[in-house]
Amino acid sequence: MNRQGIGMTSMRTRQRLVQRLVEQGITSLAVLDAVRDTPRHFFVDEALAHRAYEDTALPIGWNQTLSQPYIVARMTELALAQGTPAKVLEIGSGSGYQTAILSQLVGEVYAVERIKGLVDRARKRFRELRLRNVQLRLADGLAGWQDKGPFDVILSAAAPEQVPLALLEQLVVGGRLILPVGDQRQDLQVVTRTESGAETEVVEAVKFVPMLPGVQR
Ligand code: SAH
């Protein structure tokens, strides 16, 4: 990925972030390289750009946040755990940062976001960064993206209270849904679709925004 705005966002600052992710247990070199090479400052307002390489969530408008780099790295690592997925559905693409990371590591990324303002901005960023394997659409991710499925991995940055059946049904057998589940208390879960149903693995406690129904124009 082209490296924009070297200076404020020097390689050293980015290396420090990568080092922090290593200390927190991220081991995938592919993921660490993608974090190092992706201009996170590009996904936030200019006024926040100087904080883009801190391991913290940042506001992106419309009451939403760009996830903390650690959790983006963790979910991406989980997405790659069974080899390189050909097709990934991302729900709640927000700023598009997680999408940009995924686009470097998987075949095709289909992304949905329910807030139009965020979709418009993210689309512009994808064009500028020349991400060619990303399709983004304004839609309610609770319904998945039926026409483009089935997917090898579905990854969500918004938390439903329960695992949505519609999403499980859009996975290939052996495919995995990686998402936060819950209300006040949330767990990051990996739900694997099996021949007969699904198997759930709880990864760790997390805090995400809720998955809300409908779109906001
Ligand atoms: N990974 C994103 C995180 C954004 S926060 C980033 O890097 O910026 C989660 C996003 O999920 C928000 O933008 C929110 O609008 C979106 N969201 C919540 N419910 C949704 C739904 N039902 N369908 C699609 N997107 C949803």
Side-chain angles (χ1 to χ4, degrees):
M1 182 163 291
N2 50 350
R3 306 213 175 109
Q4 321 235 347
I6 298 291
M8 150 181 82
T9 58
S10 69
M11 244 351 193
R12 191 136 49 88
T13 320
R14 296 189 192 193
Q15 286 292 7
R16 219 179 295 132
L17 172 60
V18 166
Q19 187 52 40
R20 209 186 125 90
L21 298 181
V22 169
E23 285 159 12
Q24 290 179 95
I26 304 298
T27 57
S28 161
L29 292 180
V31 171
L32 294 168
D33 282 352
V35 169
R36 189 197 55 212
D37 293 345
T38 304
R40 191 168 184 255
H41 64 280
F42 207 64
F43 294 85
V44 293
D45 275 351
E46 233 169 292
L48 287 169
H50 67 289
R51 301 192 54 202
Y53 299 93
E54 292 173 17
D55 187 23
T56 170
L58 293 171
I60 53 173
W62 292 273
N63 253 327
Q64 305 300 322
T65 55
L66 202 176
S67 313
Q68 182 191 358
Y70 165 73
I71 201 72
V72 172
R74 189 84 178 98
M75 290 176 85
T76 309
E77 192 167 72
L78 290 167
L80 302 181
Q82 312 283 352
T84 304
K87 259 162 77 169
V88 175
L89 172 67
E90 186 200 7
I91 296 168
S93 55
S95 69
Y97 176 70
Q98 168 83 75
T99 324
I101 297 268
L102 283 170
S103 80
Q104 298 166 67
L105 299 168
V106 309
E108 302 285 331
V109 186
Y110 297 89
V112 296
E113 167 56 55
R114 67 177 291 277
I115 298 176
K116 180 161 192 305
L118 289 172
V119 168
D120 293 343
R121 285 192 185 189
R123 250 198 210 120
K124 185 158 167 274
R125 291 176 181 132
F126 298 159
R127 253 199 316 274
E128 284 168 3
L129 294 171
R130 300 199 172 80
L131 306 187
R132 305 218 181 279
N133 57 345
V134 172
Q135 287 185 48
L136 171 61
R137 141 175 132 141
L138 175 69
D140 178 353
L142 269 169
W145 194 339
Q146 182 97 44
D147 303 353
K148 305 291 185 184
F151 303 97
D152 301 295
V153 168
I154 300 178
L155 187 153
S156 175
E161 287 185 24
Q162 283 158 10
V163 175
L165 210 55
L167 297 184
L168 262 182
E169 286 170 356
Q170 288 175 36
L171 284 173
V172 299
V173 171
R176 288 164 314 129
L177 182 51
I178 300 163
L179 82 176
V181 181
D183 181 10
Q184 293 306 320
R185 248 200 58 106
Q186 296 171 5
D187 286 321
L188 180 61
Q189 301 189 358
V190 177
V191 185
T192 304
R193 179 167 180 181
T194 62
E195 292 284 357
S196 55
E199 273 167 22
T200 301
E201 178 199 338
V202 173
V203 180
E204 59 186 283
V206 287
K207 188 79 196 116
F208 279 86
V209 298
M211 192 179 282
L212 298 175
V215 299
Q216 182 180 320
R217 279 167 203 281

